[in-house]
Amino acid sequence: MDRLDPQNTPSQEPTSALDARDGAFERGALSGAFDPWRYRDDVAVTGGDLVGYKVEASDGGIGKIDRASSDVDASYLVVDTGPWIFGKKVMLPAGVVNDIDHDERKVYVDRNKDQIKAAPEYEDTVHDDPAYRERLGGYYGGTYGATGWASPPGRVM
């Protein structure tokens, strides 16, 4: 699926990590509209259950995956943040996943901690609620391309 950056202009593939910013990622530019509920085409989701994997935001770890869904057009991760935000859980739509390292058991997302912390609050009873999903998808869609994050910290892709 092709994707566009937030200004609806085609993205060009960056030639290096230094060129990867404003929604373009080193593993290949994404063009087309941001779809919060689908994993990106270049993310290797296959390889097993993601429950228990650590989650890395663009500026550090945020917790471990408590629940993962790979439902078509409705995929998400529920992350137990532990002490980071007082033991709360956050729901991340699959579209924010930038990379998965099955060997290291880590999922990398292209949002920073503040963006994740400011997302609509998650409660176990609302993960399937259409209004909550619309709010959450709209929130993360509004932050698409605002991170300037190219690759997971300490990793070269």
Side-chain angles (χ1 to χ4, degrees), residues 114-126:
D114 287 339
Q115 289 171 317
I116 293 167
K117 194 174 186 177
E121 190 170 336
Y122 172 75
E123 295 177 27
D124 285 335
T125 59
V126 300

Side-chain angles (χ1 to χ4, degrees), residues 78-135:
V78 176
V79 180
D80 183 343
T81 63
W84 173 55
I85 50 176
F86 309 111
K88 290 188 178 185
K89 293 181 182 181
V90 295
M91 185 166 153
L92 301 176
V96 303
V97 174
N98 194 45
D99 190 29
I100 300 173
D101 185 331
H102 293 287
D103 294 332
E104 296 289 324
R105 295 182 48 86
K106 287 187 180 181
V107 172
Y108 296 89
V109 297
D110 67 354
R111 301 303 193 277
N112 63 43
K113 289 179 177 182
D114 287 339
Q115 289 171 317
I116 293 167
K117 194 174 186 177
E121 190 170 336
Y122 172 75
E123 295 177 27
D124 285 335
T125 59
V126 300
H127 75 277
D128 283 333
D129 181 277
Y132 172 73
R133 284 179 166 267
E134 187 173 326
R135 251 185 12 261

Side-chain angles (χ1 to χ4, degrees), residues 1-4 25 27-46 72-73 75 94-100 102 110 144:
M1 180 172 96
D2 289 326
R3 298 177 190 241
L4 295 176
F25 300 95
R27 292 194 66 177
L30 303 176
S31 60
F34 174 74
D35 185 349
W37 304 108
R38 286 188 58 195
Y39 287 100
R40 297 171 185 169
D41 294 338
D42 63 344
V43 172
V45 180
T46 59
V72 176
D73 295 328
S75 300
V96 303
V97 174
N98 194 45
D99 190 29
I100 300 173
H102 293 287
D110 67 354
Y144 181 66

Side-chain angles (χ1 to χ4, degrees), residues 42-57:
D42 63 344
V43 172
V45 180
T46 59
D49 188 8
L50 298 177
V51 172
Y53 279 39
K54 292 180 182 178
V55 179
E56 296 284 330

